[in-house]
Amino acid sequence: MNDVYAFIKAEKTTHHVALLCRLLKVARSSFYAWLAGEQARAARRAVDDALAHEITVLHIASRCTYGVPRIHAELRRLDRRVNRKRVERIMRERDITGVTRRTSAGR
């Protein structure tokens, strides 16, 4: 849906927004709501990038072994209040993975 709204934003200089919304079968109010939230999304993206930098520094300091639980614990130890799921999402999006211990077979 974001692609549709981005297309409307790009083409609104040449065509009316109402016409574009009608052709693409989206509500005009939804387009304007998406447009109003653009600044908030950009701010959240900037905060996520800063957090990703911190996560990367901690991950490299751990010799690339720490996964989500330990990275989250380190951030908490540094008085950085952040949700574990957010850490997990950021690490997944940027392909930052920890080392998993192998289980011994036959025990």
Side-chain angles (χ1 to χ4, degrees):
M1 192 56 76
N2 285 333
D3 296 337
V4 173
Y5 295 142
F7 176 76
I8 293 171
K9 181 181 176 186
E11 293 297 320
K12 74 179 185 176
T13 57
T14 57
H15 303 291
H16 293 287
V17 172
L19 174 67
L20 291 169
C21 289
R22 191 172 42 235
L23 289 174
L24 297 172
K25 294 186 173 95
V26 295
R28 198 172 67 207
S29 61
S30 298
F31 166 70
Y32 285 116
W34 174 83
L35 200 59
E38 196 169 28
Q39 187 176 7
R41 283 190 302 277
R44 196 174 313 116
R45 205 172 307 118
V47 171
D48 278 354
D49 288 343
L51 181 60
H53 177 71
E54 287 184 58
I55 289 171
T56 304
V57 167
L58 290 172
H59 187 68
I60 291 171
S62 73
R63 297 190 318 249
C64 300
T65 57
Y66 281 7
V68 174
R70 285 185 175 172
I71 293 288
H72 180 251
E74 283 293 316
L75 288 169
R76 298 275 306 201
R77 190 179 63 78
L78 296 171
D79 291 330
R80 187 69 202 273
R81 290 178 52 101
V82 62
N83 192 325
R84 182 190 54 80
K85 291 179 182 180
R86 188 175 193 181
V87 173
E88 184 177 349
R89 176 181 53 81
I90 290 172
M91 287 179 71
R92 182 179 58 246
E93 287 173 351
R94 289 167 172 78
D95 292 325
I96 301 171
T97 56
V99 174
T100 307
R101 289 185 184 156
R102 292 190 304 198
T103 59
S104 56
R107 284 192 175 187

